[in-house]
Amino acid sequence: MIDRNIETILRGLYDRVLQLESYDLCVGATGPTGPTGPQGDPGGATGATGAIGATGATGPIGATGATGAQGSTGTTGATGPQGIQGDIGATGATGPTGPGSNIRDIGWVLSSPTSGSILGPRVGQQHTLLKVSGYCDSGSAIINLEKRASDTPGTSGSVCLSSNLTISTSGSSTSSFTSSGSVINSDEWLLLYIASISGTPTAITVTVKTQI
């Protein structure tokens, strides 16, 4: 019974389709569109606005732009007034004496020399003996030095050289002194002693280098 009803319904649908297809084949051209009818009532009130969605993730930072051109230099300002002069600092310590500035030379130049003592200068400050040099223009001579007290220059004093020095035409020198005669104190006298002469020298030169 149910199957018969289904068959009847399907047949009816099939006939209706055939009618519609036949109708489509007979339909004429579409007529002109009619005027738009009046707008209907907009209806009820607008609904509430929905909740704002969550903020999206921040995008990556863009590349740094190129550095802009440097601006021009401004004009130089006027010079400010001079400050007050500070106090004068303390005088610094005296530096060491330069080389050679404290070196002195004492000398004798003798013509037609003979044996004996020749009194030299009376020094005005302390001298330390450094070197004694001598020369004969011919022959030779044996010499030494003495220092004598300020008030008795005619009285024998302290011998300066540790041994007699023989001088000749080739010259000679020594830097060997006795402990008691290596320093000539202020106001003491320095004396040249010629122990002997060989040959006939016409000139003898003796130089004493000292440090003050």
Side-chain angles (χ1 to χ4, degrees):
M1 186 67 181
I2 295 174
D3 291 339
R4 292 284 295 176
N5 291 335
I6 293 173
E7 182 181 354
T8 301
I9 293 170
L10 291 175
R11 184 176 295 275
L13 290 174
Y14 177 74
D15 292 340
R16 181 61 177 166
V17 169
L18 290 177
Q19 290 176 3
L20 290 174
E21 287 178 351
S22 177
Y23 176 78
D24 288 339
L25 292 175
C26 298
V27 173
T30 303
T33 303
T36 301
Q39 183 174 349
D41 188 353
T46 302
T49 302
I52 297 174
T55 302
T58 302
I61 298 174
T64 302
T67 303
Q70 183 174 344
S72 57
T73 304
T75 56
T76 303
T79 303
Q82 181 174 345
I84 300 172
Q85 181 175 343
D87 296 333
I88 298 174
T91 303
T94 302
T97 303
S101 61
N102 57 346
I103 302 300
R104 300 289 184 271
D105 288 318
I106 300 171
W108 290 263
V109 179
L110 307 174
S111 298
S112 303
T114 59
S115 301
S117 299
I118 302 96
L119 190 63
R122 182 181 185 181
V123 300
Q125 55 189 318
Q126 186 182 82
H127 287 246
T128 299
L129 302 183
L130 300 177
K131 186 177 183 179
V132 177
S133 303
Y135 169 79
C136 281
D137 65 347
S138 64
S140 63
I142 298 174
I143 65 169
N144 208 317
L145 298 176
E146 283 186 20
K147 70 172 187 176
R148 294 192 171 181
S150 61
D151 54 350
T152 56
T155 303
S156 296
S158 300
V159 175
C160 297
L161 304 183
S162 57
S163 61
N164 290 338
L165 176 66
T166 299
I167 59 177
S168 63
T169 56
S170 61
S172 57
S173 61
T174 182
S175 297
S176 179
F177 305 101
T178 63
S179 58
S180 61
S182 62
V183 176
I184 313 301
N185 295 309
S186 178
D187 292 333
E188 288 184 330
W189 298 83
L190 189 60
L191 176 141
L192 172 63
Y193 172 66
I194 302 177
S196 64
I197 292 178
S198 298
T200 55
T202 60
I204 291 178
T205 300
V206 177
T207 302
V208 182
K209 180 176 287 186
T210 69
Q211 184 177 34
I212 58 174

